[in-house]
Amino acid sequence: MSVTAVLRSEWIKIRSVRASFGSLLAILVVTLLFTLPLYATEGQAEAGSDGDVVFGAFQAIYFAQIAAIAFGAVAVSSEYANGALRVSLSAVPNRSLFYGARTTVVAAAALLVGLVTAFTTFLVGQALLGEDAIGLGEPGALRACVGAGIHLALLALFAAGLTFLLRSAVLVLGLLVPFILIVSFVIGDAAGKAVEFLPDRAGQQVLYQQTPAGGIGPWPGLAVTALWAAAALLAGLWAVRRRDA
Amino acid sequence: MSSIDLEDLTKEYGSTRAVDRLTCTVEPGRVTGFLGPNGAGKSTTMRLVLGLDHPTSGTATIGGRPYATLREPLRTVGALLDAQAAHGSRTARDHLRFLAVSNRIPARRVDEVLEETGLAAVARRRIRTFSLGMRQRLGIAAALLGDPPVLILDEPVNGLDPEGIVWIRDLLRRLAREGRTVLVSSHLMNETAVLADHLVVLGRGRLLADVPTQDFIEQHSPPRARVRTDDPARLRATLLAEGYTVQEDDGRWVVEGARAGEVGAVAAREGIPLLELTDERASLEQAYFALTADEAEYTAAAPASPTVPQEA
């Protein structure tokens, strides 16, 4: 079968279901909605005074992460409503091809929207800060913007792989969202070094100008998140190939 | 054209055998009705043919090839398994479009099948607003998309209005006349009797019958003739004397255990004028129940009204 044709078909499928296309756009919209009040109300005193100036520009990343995970989960879970997967697999019975095409489209869409989101939140947030703003020329800023886009795409893939395995967006979101909000966000700093290897925290290393003490560095951090995503994708592939549809 | 070949096909779920060493061939050029009580394994068999479920043992092939190895399979096999499987959030057109694109079927086919199934006017409406009948039409549109030589339809009549039932009957007959292989499961016996040239009957996953519809009805019909005469008293007496059971039914006499030929011979010998004489055939429904009475897994469900929907 033609790989290009299957890729096009998978894009039409994501594009034509409101929930999956909407959750893709939501990555940008949600991030901006949180960026605006955060930086509009924050005085110059808070910005960059303590901590990392570049990381300070990505405070909305937590919301972007949740939106990216939601997109990855919802873009896959539509296959698990009312036997929709059977329709898909009768059109593309080569399951590895079907799986590869769907995850490639999820990755490409999330990367594109992730990059737009990263640059937009950085530039809009800094524009609101006025005098204390940093530009893309600031050391580490460009790396952080590109890295944030990749990080969001990897999280979407992580969720997509898990959804193929567990067959339910509700289940996957129920697992991952509290994970990001509670484990990482709330008790993260108190939980020691292991926390730096969690999928969301590892990838966030790329957002720092100076790697925090005990951190694993920008690109190794992204590589760890990529390993999480790869593991979830392999588990999903195994499930799709092996199970009855 | 391609036939569907099942060989020793077996599917077990845990300790349950849903399909049990099924061997048969669904031939092109005719409509094959796929019958059996709930849980007989019809839907499972269809999923096995489409490579959606993995068989425990045995093979299912289309034109000699497993479904999963077909290039652009929608051009070879059109299938409708479950009309509810189309995502409610898509429009009918988008549903057909992604299927067409994946198998490199020209975009004009989308409009053609929408037209053919009477959905052109609602093509841009979301599927969740569709009635069951409209979803069935969309499922049939999807099956026809690749102009395939083989069609596999699970309960396509379900939810259609009388006009829709006539439409699909004519459509499937036409497709079979064109030399295609058409396999249709149904729980509507009378519909199947009118529609199917050939029957494959399952019970508890096993093959019970693989015969032409007419033969099936004849094999499972007790002999019975219906006769009308000017001289009922004499005819009755004569037939009773011959050892037949005779009952009056709306001005006619129903003779149990006799073919029309035998009744005609008796009447001619006695010089009794007959106004009407026919063999009475059992309906497919009666023949079917005669065959499956012992096989029905859910006995209570079997004789129920034919409008009860069958398993998905």
Side-chain angles (χ1 to χ4, degrees):
Chain A
M1 295 188 72
S2 154
V3 174
T4 336
V6 177
L7 284 169
R8 271 188 63 209
S9 168
E10 290 302 325
W11 170 239
I12 293 171
K13 282 159 84 174
I14 288 181
R15 175 82 182 71
S16 59
V17 168
R18 224 181 247 175
S20 53
F21 193 57
S23 65
L24 175 62
L25 298 182
I27 300 175
L28 177 61
V29 174
V30 165
T31 309
L32 273 183
L33 279 179
F34 283 98
T35 299
L36 293 174
L38 270 174
Y39 292 89
T41 58
E42 196 159 275
Q44 278 86 338
E46 288 105 329
S49 59
D50 59 305
D52 194 281
V53 281
V54 175
F55 189 70
F58 287 96
Q59 293 181 53
I61 192 72
Y62 296 101
F63 306 104
Q65 288 181 156
I66 290 170
I69 284 170
F71 165 65
V74 170
V76 169
S77 68
S78 58
E79 293 292 335
Y80 292 99
N82 300 320
L85 185 63
R86 290 187 188 137
V87 176
S88 298
L89 291 180
S90 9
V92 185
N94 179 337
R95 298 187 181 197
S96 304
L97 175 59
F98 160 75
Y99 187 84
R102 170 59 64 96
T103 49
T104 302
V105 168
V106 167
L111 180 62
L112 185 70
V113 176
L115 286 171
V116 171
T117 302
F119 279 99
T120 312
T121 188
F122 181 86
L123 295 172
V124 169
Q126 296 310 305
L128 291 170
L129 275 185
E131 279 176 14
D132 289 334
I134 55 170
L136 278 172
E138 180 78 17
L142 193 59
R143 180 184 69 197
C145 285
V146 174
I150 297 172
H151 176 58
L152 293 175
L154 290 173
L155 287 180
L157 281 177
F158 181 58
L162 280 183
T163 310
F164 271 119
L165 181 67
L166 301 174
R167 293 183 276 193
S168 155
V170 176
L171 198 54
V172 168
L173 293 177
L175 280 171
L176 293 186
V177 172
F179 193 78
I180 285 178
L181 286 179
I182 297 163
V183 180
S184 272
F185 191 46
V186 180
I187 63 164
D189 293 330
K193 189 165 166 58
V195 111
E196 301 302 329
F197 290 89
L198 294 177
D200 58 322
R201 295 280 291 205
Q204 283 174 22
Q205 302 281 322
V206 83
L207 305 177
Y208 289 90
Q209 189 175 47
Q210 297 293 328
T211 302
I216 48 178
W219 301 115
L222 266 189
V224 168
T225 301
L227 282 177
W228 281 96
L233 286 174
L234 281 175
L237 175 64
W238 172 82
V240 166
R241 286 179 56 98
R242 197 175 161 280
R243 272 191 202 125
D244 285 342
Chain B
M1 290 287 177
S2 317
S3 59
I4 304 170
D5 295 287
L6 312 181
E7 216 176 300
D8 242 3
L9 192 64
T10 301
K11 177 66 177 178
E12 288 169 358
Y13 295 104
S15 60
T16 319
R17 269 205 172 178
V19 178
D20 192 357
R21 305 202 59 182
L22 184 57
T23 300
C24 71
T25 297
V26 182
E27 301 279 358
R30 65 193 188 193
V31 177
T32 301
F34 202 25
L35 293 177
N38 282 333
K42 304 186 299 294
S43 297
T44 306
T45 303
M46 288 181 162
R47 287 201 304 275
L48 290 168
V49 171
L50 296 173
L52 295 170
D53 285 13
H54 307 293
T56 307
S57 63
T59 56
T61 53
I62 290 157
R65 299 179 59 187
Y67 187 89
T69 67
L70 297 174
R71 285 184 64 83
E72 295 168 354
L74 300 184
R75 295 165 178 270
T76 307
V77 182
L80 163 64
L81 288 188
D82 180 359
Q84 306 292 350
H87 200 287
S89 177
R90 284 196 188 100
T91 65
R93 200 158 189 292
D94 281 338
H95 178 75
L96 296 173
R97 221 157 57 86
F98 87 71
L99 288 172
V101 165
S102 70
N103 279 242
R104 295 192 307 170
I105 294 164
R108 63 173 165 76
R109 278 296 294 161
V110 170
D111 296 311
E112 283 171 17
V113 296
L114 281 167
E115 198 67 50
E116 192 172 354
T117 52
L119 292 174
V122 294
R124 286 170 198 284
R125 262 173 58 184
R126 289 185 194 275
I127 295 164
R128 77 160 60 86
T129 67
F130 282 17
S131 66
L132 177 56
M134 290 159 82
R135 284 173 201 242
Q136 289 285 10
R137 284 171 182 265
L138 178 62
I140 291 158
L144 296 175
L145 201 54
D147 197 17
V150 178
L151 284 137
I152 297 177
L153 309 172
D154 200 1
E155 302 272 352
V157 177
N158 220 353
L160 291 180
D161 53 18
E163 187 199 347
I165 292 176
V166 172
W167 166 74
I168 194 163
R169 184 197 293 161
D170 293 347
L171 173 73
L172 296 182
R173 283 236 196 86
R174 194 194 81 214
L175 293 168
R177 257 203 323 275
E178 290 168 1
R180 298 177 213 251
T181 307
V182 183
L183 179 64
V184 186
S185 81
S186 180
H187 64 274
L188 298 175
M189 294 298 157
N190 295 336
E191 248 335 289
T192 309
V194 184
L195 182 69
D197 310 300
H198 196 88
L199 294 177
V200 171
V201 186
L202 289 192
R204 291 192 199 178
R206 284 193 298 272
L207 185 68
L208 297 184
D210 180 2
V211 289
T213 309
Q214 270 319 309
D215 295 2
F216 180 79
I217 292 172
E218 258 158 51
Q219 282 165 21
H220 297 278
S221 297
R224 179 189 285 172
R226 185 173 278 265
V227 61
R228 190 157 70 90
T229 174
D230 289 0
D231 194 352
R234 198 149 71 90
L235 180 69
R236 181 167 178 273
T238 311
L239 287 169
L240 285 174
E242 295 280 331
Y244 297 116
T245 317
V246 183
Q247 279 180 325
E248 194 180 355
D249 175 32
D250 193 22
R252 291 170 181 78
W253 295 89
V254 176
V255 190
E256 299 284 350
R259 298 278 181 208
E262 300 165 51
V263 176
V266 170
R269 195 186 66 213
E270 298 295 322
I272 305 169
L274 297 186
L275 304 174
E276 222 178 283
L277 175 62
T278 52
D279 267 320
E280 195 171 271
R281 291 270 173 267
S283 66
L284 175 59
E285 195 161 34
Q286 288 162 324
Y288 168 80
F289 285 133
L291 179 70
T292 60
D294 315 326
E295 300 285 345
E297 200 155 355
Y298 308 105
T299 318
S305 119
T307 52
V308 174
Q310 220 168 8
E311 87 265 39

